[in-house]
């Protein structure tokens, strides 16, 4: 075959006949090899004409020498039945090895060698190709990193934008910034409410430590009120989405939502995409505000250890709160989110003609307080949690019944209402309240005691084992004398109530014959005539236990009472 024959054949045949051209070229090259006339130049010209590499043409020639089908259809895929595919066994190995394909390949080679007779394991390239072909990117990410990694490859639908105050979303967020709280570096928490239609931040609350239901109620009050400094956003929403946080679903918060006629939508766990508005706000505040503040914990640091510089000056809690509220005002009045198509949240809010439901500040304050029941106002004031609370308005009112409401965790003051009429009487402050210096001293003493106790507990529970360099049973180190062991065991026995009880002193009576009693419980009963079966119509004939009380009915395997 001349070099120009292949070129002319490649140019004369259409693209649909390229497979036949490959077969013709391979057969001619095989004939040249059989006659001892094949050179590298022939292969180079054939590769240029066929649009393949020289290595590929050489591989076709090697396959055609042992397989006639490969000579007729060079480069064609093998049959589907002979192609390696991803099986449930391979999926399990990928999950076991966290998506490490090379480790899975080693495992497959070992398993194939253990078979009788030994089987052929797929090559590493074949395994990679099968994984890319048979598994989606989401499945590969899920086998390597779990469900959260697989969720990044999912497609989520966007909810249609309705009207203002149709749906709010709320969430807690721990700010990645260290601030100075009474001389201690802490990461504050932010609680906010957002309107899904306008992307406006309707309410926000900041706490130096982990938030509670008090944080939710404070943020809710700032979200609902539209008077200064909270307006113009606010009013009562129709629905609020929460993420199963115990603070948002507490009795006090749910009661406040019920009184305000607001529906609470409890979303399933680990579904942040179902409240994307507030989750997007959590992601946006860090690069737009928090990353530029001193004390940012994710700031790259020089050196091997990412320690905070000793001369770094942290923001105070008041300064951090002021900067966050300033940024919130900028977000509502100047920022133009992409979903709003060039409008600010304030412009989107003002363009919406939906009427708003407002609540008076005094009524809202009452609805968001926790109810502590009724008390009698005495000459010592109102007793709440074994402490007395007094107020200047109490003069002349001793002896009346009052109802107490209070803000959770704000135990320095309570709100008092008339028990019969519900009329607000006034606040009451804690009598004989300690000074701030005394409270700080108590907290320092408690912290020191907690550290000492923790250190003692860790020392008492520390176990040591001998180091080994060959397989053997673990050997516990540390010995006790016989007197020490007996003394500690005697002390533990005296304080363990389960050891002091005598459950088998009076064995229970034998159950009725028709009852299905496990063999382990039947062996503990006293032998004797079985008790009579209970009657469904006459309660007086029901079987009684040793103490004279009615014995509870048992249930069969289907859950029906017997």
């Amino acid at each position: 075959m001349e070099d120009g024959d292949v070129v002319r054949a490649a140019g004369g045949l259409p693209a649909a006949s390229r497979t036949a051209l490959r077969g013709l070229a391979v057969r001619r090259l095989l004939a040249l090899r059989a006659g001892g006339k094949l050179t590298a130049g022939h292969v180079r010209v054939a590769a240029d004409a066929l649009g393949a590499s020289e290595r590929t043409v050489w591989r076709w020639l090697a396959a055609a020498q042992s397989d006639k089908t490969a000579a007729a259809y060079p480069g064609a895929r093998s049959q589907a039945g002979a192609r390696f595919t991803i099986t449930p066994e391979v999926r399990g190995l990928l999950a076991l090895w966290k998506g490490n394909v090379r480790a899975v390949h080693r495992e497959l080679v070992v398993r194939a060698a253990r078979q009788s007779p030994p089987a052929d394991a797929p090559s590493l390239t074949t395994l990679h190709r099968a994984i890319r072909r048979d598994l989606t990117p989401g499945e590969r990410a899920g086998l390597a990193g779990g469900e959260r990694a697989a969720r990044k490859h999912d497609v989520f639908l966007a909810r249609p934008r309705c009207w203002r105050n149709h749906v709010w979303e709320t969430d807690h967020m721990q700010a990645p910034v260290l601030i100075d709280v009474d001389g201690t570096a802490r990461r504050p928490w932010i609680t906010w409410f957002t309107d899904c239609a306008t992307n406006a931040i309707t309410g926000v609350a900041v706490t130096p430590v982990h938030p509670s239901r008090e944080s939710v109620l404070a943020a809710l009050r700032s979200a609902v009120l539209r008077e200064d400094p909270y307006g113009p956003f606010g009013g009562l929403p129709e629905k609020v989405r929460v993420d199963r946080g115990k603070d948002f679903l507490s009795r006090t918060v749910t009661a406040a939502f019920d009184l305000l006629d607001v529906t609470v939508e409890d979303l399933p766990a680990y579904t942040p995409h179902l409240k994307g508005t507030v989750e997007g706000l959590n992601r946006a505040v860090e690069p737009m505000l928090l990353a530029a503040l001193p004390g940012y914990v994710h700031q790259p640091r020089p050196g091997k250890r990412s320690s905070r510089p000793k001369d770094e000056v942290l923001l105070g809690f008041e300064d951090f709160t002021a900067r966050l509220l300033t940024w919130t005002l900028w977000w509502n009045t100047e920022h133009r989110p992409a979903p709003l198509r060039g409008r600010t949240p304030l412009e989107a809010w003002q363009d919406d003609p939906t009427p708003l439901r407002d609540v008076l500040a005094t009524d809202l304050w009452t609805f968001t307080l926790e109810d502590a029941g009724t008390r009698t106002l005495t000459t010592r004031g109102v007793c709440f949690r074994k402490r007395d609370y007094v107020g200047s308005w109490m003069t002349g009112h001793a002896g009346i019944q009052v109802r107490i409401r209070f803000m959770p965790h704000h135990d320095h003051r309570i709100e008092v209402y008339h028990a019969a009429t519900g009329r607000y009487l006034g606040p009451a402050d804690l009598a004989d309240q300690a000074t701030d210096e005394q409270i700080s001293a108590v907290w320092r003493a408690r912290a020191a005691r907690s550290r000492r106790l923790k250190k003692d507990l860790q020392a008492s529970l520390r176990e040591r084992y001998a180091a080994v360099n060959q397989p053997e049973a673990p050997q516990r180190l540390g010995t006790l004398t016989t007197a020490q062991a007996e003394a500690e065991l005697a002390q533990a026995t005296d304080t363990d109530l389960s050891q002091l009880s005598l459950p088998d002193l009076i064995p229970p009576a034998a159950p009725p014959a028709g009852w299905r009693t496990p063999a382990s419980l039947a062996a503990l009963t006293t032998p004797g005539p079985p008790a009579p079966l209970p009657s469904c119509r006459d309660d007086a004939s029901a079987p009684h236990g040793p103490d004279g009380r009615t014995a509870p009915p048992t249930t069969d395997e289907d859950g029906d009472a017997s």
Side-chain angles (χ1 to χ4, degrees):
M1 183 182 66
E2 299 294 333
D3 295 346
D5 295 341
V6 178
V7 177
R8 286 190 294 272
L13 290 177
S17 303
R18 187 168 296 275
T19 302
L21 176 61
R22 290 175 180 173
L24 175 62
V26 169
R27 288 193 296 271
R28 296 296 298 273
L29 293 175
L30 287 175
L32 290 175
R33 171 178 284 185
K37 300 180 180 180
L38 181 64
T39 63
H42 293 98
V43 176
R44 186 181 305 110
V45 173
D48 294 339
L50 298 175
S53 63
E54 296 183 31
R55 182 179 177 181
T56 301
V57 176
W58 285 111
R59 189 172 64 250
W60 290 346
L61 291 176
Q65 286 183 338
S66 59
D67 189 1
K68 295 182 179 180
T69 304
Y73 303 99
R77 292 285 186 182
S78 60
Q79 297 181 357
R83 186 175 63 181
F84 178 78
T85 58
I86 299 300
T87 61
E89 178 188 9
V90 178
R91 284 177 175 267
L93 290 176
L94 284 172
L96 175 64
W97 291 101
K98 303 296 184 182
N100 190 339
V101 182
R102 188 174 291 275
V104 174
H105 179 257
R106 291 196 300 265
E107 188 75 18
L108 292 177
V109 171
V110 172
R111 294 187 179 186
R114 292 176 179 174
Q115 295 182 7
S116 181
D120 294 334
S123 64
L124 182 61
T125 304
T126 301
L127 181 59
H128 274 288
R129 185 186 304 114
I131 291 175
R132 290 192 300 266
R133 182 186 63 244
D134 297 343
L135 299 181
T136 63
E139 290 176 328
R140 297 197 296 268
L143 292 174
E147 181 183 358
R148 181 171 297 182
R151 196 182 299 129
K152 296 180 181 179
H153 298 269
D154 294 342
V155 177
F156 304 104
L157 299 177
R159 289 191 179 97
R161 291 189 174 270
C162 299
W163 51 91
R164 61 181 183 181
N165 282 356
H166 174 59
V167 178
W168 284 2
E169 292 178 356
T170 179
D171 195 14
H172 294 311
M173 174 196 174
Q174 187 177 21
V177 176
L178 291 174
I179 64 174
D180 186 8
V181 181
D182 293 335
T184 304
R186 299 180 182 273
R187 292 177 56 182
W189 284 80
I190 306 173
T191 305
W192 39 30
F193 286 82
T194 60
D195 180 58
C196 296
T198 62
N199 281 57
I201 303 176
T202 56
V204 62
V206 187
T207 50
V209 292
H210 199 282
S212 62
R213 60 187 186 275
E214 182 261 343
S215 307
V216 180
L217 295 176
L220 177 61
R221 279 195 294 269
S222 67
V224 173
L225 294 177
R226 293 199 302 128
E227 57 189 23
D228 290 338
Y230 307 109
F233 308 96
L236 292 178
E238 300 179 18
K239 183 189 299 184
V240 174
R241 295 194 185 106
V242 299
D243 59 353
R244 281 197 179 180
K246 63 179 183 179
D247 304 327
F248 299 102
L249 298 179
S250 61
R251 181 183 59 183
T252 304
V253 176
T254 53
F257 281 130
D258 290 340
L259 291 174
L260 297 174
D261 193 20
V262 177
T263 303
V264 178
E265 183 179 358
D266 184 15
L267 300 176
Y270 305 105
T271 55
H273 58 281
L274 296 181
K275 53 182 182 66
T277 304
V278 70
E279 291 292 342
L281 179 62
N282 290 337
R283 293 190 298 267
V285 67
E286 181 172 352
M288 299 176 72
L289 171 68
L290 304 179
L293 298 181
Y296 180 58
V297 297
H298 297 158
Q299 185 72 27
R301 307 289 185 185
K304 296 182 179 180
R305 299 183 61 183
S306 58
S307 58
R308 186 168 58 89
K310 296 182 179 180
D311 57 346
E312 184 177 18
V313 179
L314 301 179
L315 293 175
F317 178 71
E318 183 178 0
D319 193 6
F320 173 80
T321 305
R323 297 196 184 195
L324 179 65
L325 294 180
T326 302
W327 180 85
T328 302
L329 179 63
W330 171 86
W331 174 279
N332 287 337
T333 58
E334 299 183 27
H335 180 55
R336 302 180 185 272
L340 298 183
R341 299 179 180 179
R343 296 183 300 171
T344 64
L346 178 60
E347 293 173 351
W349 181 275
Q350 293 175 345
D351 293 342
D352 194 335
T354 305
L356 303 176
R357 295 188 301 159
D358 290 324
V359 181
L360 296 177
T362 55
D363 295 341
L364 181 63
W365 172 257
T366 303
F367 293 156
T368 55
L369 293 177
E370 189 167 340
D371 190 1
T374 59
R375 301 287 194 280
T376 300
L377 197 155
T378 65
T379 55
R380 297 176 58 90
V382 179
C383 182
F384 174 59
R385 292 180 177 176
K386 300 181 180 180
R387 299 190 295 184
D388 295 330
Y389 289 81
V390 295
S392 58
W393 57 268
M394 293 183 178
T395 304
H397 291 80
I400 65 173
Q401 293 290 323
V402 296
R403 178 172 293 275
I404 298 176
R405 293 181 178 272
F406 66 99
M407 173 61 67
H409 310 297
H410 288 238
D411 49 3
H412 62 283
R413 170 174 290 189
I414 61 175
E415 305 295 334
V416 184
Y417 297 79
H418 197 281
T421 62
R423 181 172 56 88
Y424 178 65
L425 299 178
D429 296 323
L430 179 64
D432 194 17
Q433 183 176 349
T435 63
D436 295 339
E437 292 77 9
Q438 291 175 330
I439 296 177
S440 299
V442 170
W443 279 110
R444 288 194 298 268
R446 290 179 180 178
R449 182 181 59 188
S450 178
R451 289 193 298 267
R452 289 194 304 268
L453 180 60
K454 183 178 180 180
K455 184 177 180 180
D456 294 341
L457 291 176
Q458 290 177 349
S460 63
L461 297 178
R462 185 181 297 117
E463 288 184 292
R464 297 187 183 275
Y465 287 86
V468 299
N469 49 23
Q470 59 184 357
E472 61 181 48
Q475 180 183 359
R476 183 183 285 109
L477 299 178
T479 58
L480 297 173
T481 63
T482 304
Q484 289 176 337
E486 291 179 353
E488 190 163 348
L489 290 176
Q491 183 180 4
T493 305
D494 294 340
T495 57
D496 192 357
L497 297 180
S498 62
Q499 297 292 335
L500 298 176
S501 62
L502 301 175
D504 299 332
L505 182 60
I506 304 178
W515 286 17
R516 298 181 181 179
T517 306
S520 59
L521 297 181
L524 301 177
T525 59
T526 56
L533 290 174
S535 175
C536 299
R537 297 183 179 180
D538 188 5
D539 295 335
S541 61
H544 295 277
D547 55 354
R549 293 180 295 180
T550 303
T554 60
T555 55
D556 56 17
E557 298 176 354
D558 298 332
D560 299 327
S562 7

